[in-house]
Structure formats: structure tokens, C-alpha cells
Amino acid sequence: RRTQQEFTMSSRLNHSTATMVVALLVAVAQTATAQTSQRTISVTGYASTSAVPDSAMITTGVVTEGDTAQAALTANNEAMNRVYEAMKEFEIADEDVQTSNFQIRPDRNPSVQRGAARELTYYTVSNQVRVHIRDLDRFGEVLVALVEAGANQASSINFEVDNRMQLVDDARLAAIEAA
């Protein structure tokens, strides 16, 4: 059986041993870091490039209403088919058209007094597509044709450069040369 004095002495020795082990590990780590450090030189270069847009992305589509979900959906499908046909007339490739949003929702009469129960009065169908228009010279014509075909929504018109990564690569090379 150990006395209180022996226990305190043993506890102090364990604490001292642990402290020495930690100090030894820190010293070893610092030595290893110092031996593996490499000398480096850092340089910075700046460059930029610009280009005239050569294509456009537009989100467009059709919103229809009907007394039933089926009636609203049928009207929307018919209008969207006319919109797709208009895109084909301008040789917009299938891979340049992507559905971005499709929604069917029941709607209620908005004229009912606040707090009163509003009964279901009609359905709304919304079908939106994102279209990549590669021939900017015909952009206005395409837009007019889509509207005339039945598109009643258009948003997010963005002009872009198709080969943007080439511009980024050119800027990197110029920055390296400037450095």
C-alpha cells in the first residue's frame, strides 16, 4: 500500500515524464520541418482578355391556365410544341434546349375576401426552357418567332462567349509572361 507522500511523488514523476516526452516530440517535429523546408521564390503577374459575345442564353416558355389540370396541361403542350417548331426553323439544335422549370399548380380565386375560404377555381401550368442561341445576328428574329409561336415568358437573357476557356488560358499565359 502506498502512502500519500509516495503517491504525490509518483504523480509528479509521471507529470514530469509526460512533459519531457511532449518537449522531445516538439523538438523532433521542428527539426524534421527545418530539414524538409525548401527555399521558394514567388512571383505575381496580371493579365486580362476580353471578347465580343458570340452567343446568347435565354430562358423562355409558356404559362397556361385551365379549368382542370388536364386542360391547362393540354394547352401548354400545344403552345410549347409551336415554340419548339419555331426553334427548329432557326436550326437551334436539340442539345441547345433544356427544360429549366416545369410546374402544375392549382390556383384559387384571388378576389375572395381575406380570411374567407377560397375555393379552387383553375390550374396553371408553366413550362420554361433554357435556349442557347448561337447565331447572334438572328437573335431578334428568334425572339420574335418564339413569342409569335406562343412563348409568353422570357427572362434571363445573357450574352456569352462560347469558347470562354480559351480566353482564360490566354490570360493565364499573358500573366505568366508579365510575371
Side-chain angles (χ1 to χ4, degrees):
R1 213 170 166 168
R2 295 170 63 177
T3 64
Q4 179 65 29
Q5 186 177 10
E6 288 174 350
F7 182 75
T8 304
M9 183 80 102
S10 173
S11 178
R12 286 184 190 154
L13 284 174
N14 286 339
H15 180 69
S16 296
T17 304
T19 303
M20 285 191 294
V21 168
V22 169
L24 181 62
L25 289 174
V26 169
V28 169
Q30 288 176 343
T31 303
T33 302
Q35 290 174 352
T36 59
S37 298
Q38 296 178 359
R39 295 180 183 214
T40 60
I41 297 174
S42 296
V43 293
T44 303
Y46 295 95
S48 65
T49 60
S50 62
V52 175
D54 57 6
S55 68
M57 293 293 280
I58 180 173
T59 301
T60 187
V62 176
V63 177
T64 54
E65 295 176 351
D67 292 335
T68 65
Q70 184 61 52
L73 183 59
T74 298
N76 195 281
N77 286 340
E78 290 170 358
M80 281 303 292
N81 284 336
R82 290 190 305 272
V83 169
Y84 286 125
E85 287 303 315
M87 286 187 245
K88 287 184 194 266
E89 288 177 24
F90 286 92
E91 299 176 356
I92 296 174
D94 289 343
E95 59 267 10
D96 287 338
V97 180
Q98 182 179 35
T99 300
S100 61
N101 183 33
F102 182 83
Q103 185 178 57
I104 300 175
R105 71 174 185 273
D107 283 315
R108 302 183 187 286
N109 186 345
S111 63
V112 175
Q113 282 186 338
R114 189 175 201 168
R118 298 184 317 164
E119 66 182 60
L120 179 66
T121 55
Y122 59 96
Y123 288 84
T124 301
V125 174
S126 175
N127 189 352
Q128 306 294 309
V129 292
R130 189 158 166 81
V131 182
H132 191 173
I133 301 171
R134 296 183 186 277
D135 185 357
L136 278 185
D137 293 335
R138 300 190 74 193
F139 178 77
E141 291 176 69
V142 172
L143 216 49
V144 168
L146 294 176
V147 170
E148 288 176 350
N152 57 11
Q153 299 284 308
S155 63
S156 303
I157 299 173
N158 296 307
F159 294 95
E160 301 177 350
V161 175
D162 276 339
N163 196 359
R164 188 176 87 65
M165 288 313 296
Q166 183 60 50
L167 293 173
V168 171
D169 290 344
D170 292 347
R172 278 191 193 112
L173 290 174
I176 291 169
E177 289 176 17

